[in-house]
């Protein structure tokens, strides 16, 4: 399990005079603390010049080259959840957590609260209330995004998934229970120039999976660059092992398909 090594800054989110509980304290290393400040400053100065998608594109670029690190969050059904904020290593989900949180933040303490709102159902920092599934972003409050998959192409498909239920029986996450959900996805064969033309900068992309009990197996961000459309993602692929821009169509054509979530205007998502 990933552990924080250099506990430099401790931020208490409890009210004045209240004794902080384990869920109300976040330990942030010096590198991460400095990066939070610099990205907040950058975002504040450019706030009036960027659309929602433009802000996501700009913020996500700040993490290019960041090492990939699996299992960065701390918590399980037997281990108390810890609020982890650490930029020294990212997996594909925490990468999106931080980008979306920065988009809505005005200062460092606000960023910490936005991470809580983005990562956890009803802002409850606990393992079972973590948004474990990509489509939780468009189904569990507070909502992070809207599912626009069906708007991208008329060839989208809808399947009923029983999230968290293993094919052979049992649950991926014990005690979480099984979640019945309609999942809309675009099969890879229909991801072409016409479909890509309906994607927007900053769209959050989930790589759909046929695996029973899961909605996606990877996530990233759609961005248009001088080199063409890209999937900006924290990649564990050999030769990457960091946050990179992967040619979008080439990447998704090798997968079962995609789910597309679109961030909501800040006034609607806070």
């Amino acid at each position: 399990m990933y552990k924080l090594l250099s506990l430099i800054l401790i931020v208490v989110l409890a009210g004045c005079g209240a004794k902080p509980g384990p869920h109300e304290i976040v330990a942030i290393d010096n590198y991460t603390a400095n990066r939070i400040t610099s990205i907040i400053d950058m975002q504040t100065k450019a706030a009036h010049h960027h659309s929602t998608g433009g802000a996501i594109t700009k913020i996500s670029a700040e993490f290019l080259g960041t090492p990939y690190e699996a299992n960065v969050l701390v918590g399980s059904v037997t281990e108390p959840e810890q609020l982890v904020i650490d930029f020294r290593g990212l997996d594909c989900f925490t990468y999106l957590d931080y980008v979306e949180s920065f988009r809505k933040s005005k200062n460092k303490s606000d960023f910490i609260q936005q991470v809580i709102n983005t990562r956890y159902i009803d802002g409850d920092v606990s393992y079972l209330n973590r948004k474990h599934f990509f489509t939780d972003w468009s189904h569990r409050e507070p909502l992070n995004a809207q599912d626009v998959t069906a708007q991208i192409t008329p060839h989208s498909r809808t399947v009923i998934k029983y999230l968290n239920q293993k094919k052979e029986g049992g649950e991926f996450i014990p005690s979480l229970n099984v979640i019945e959900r309609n999942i809309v996805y675009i099969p890879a064969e229909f991801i072409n120039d016409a479909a890509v033309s309906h994607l927007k900068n900053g769209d959050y992309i989930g790589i759909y999976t046929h695996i029973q009990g899961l909605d996606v197996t990877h996530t990233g961000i759609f961005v248009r660059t001088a080199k063409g459309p890209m999937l900006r993602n924290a990649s564990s692929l050999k030769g990457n092992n960091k946050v990179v821009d992967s040619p979008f169509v080439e990447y998704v054509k090798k997968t079962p398909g995609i789910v597309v979530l679109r961030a909501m205007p800040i006034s609607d998502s806070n």
Side-chain angles (χ1 to χ4, degrees), residues 181-192:
R181 182 172 295 163
N182 289 337
I183 305 297
V184 184
Y185 77 101
I186 304 169
E189 61 190 287
F190 297 114
I191 299 172
N192 50 30

Side-chain angles (χ1 to χ4, degrees), residues 222-236:
F222 177 82
V223 294
R224 298 185 190 278
T225 74
K227 295 182 179 180
M230 297 286 171
L231 180 71
R232 186 164 290 167
N233 64 114
S235 173
S236 63

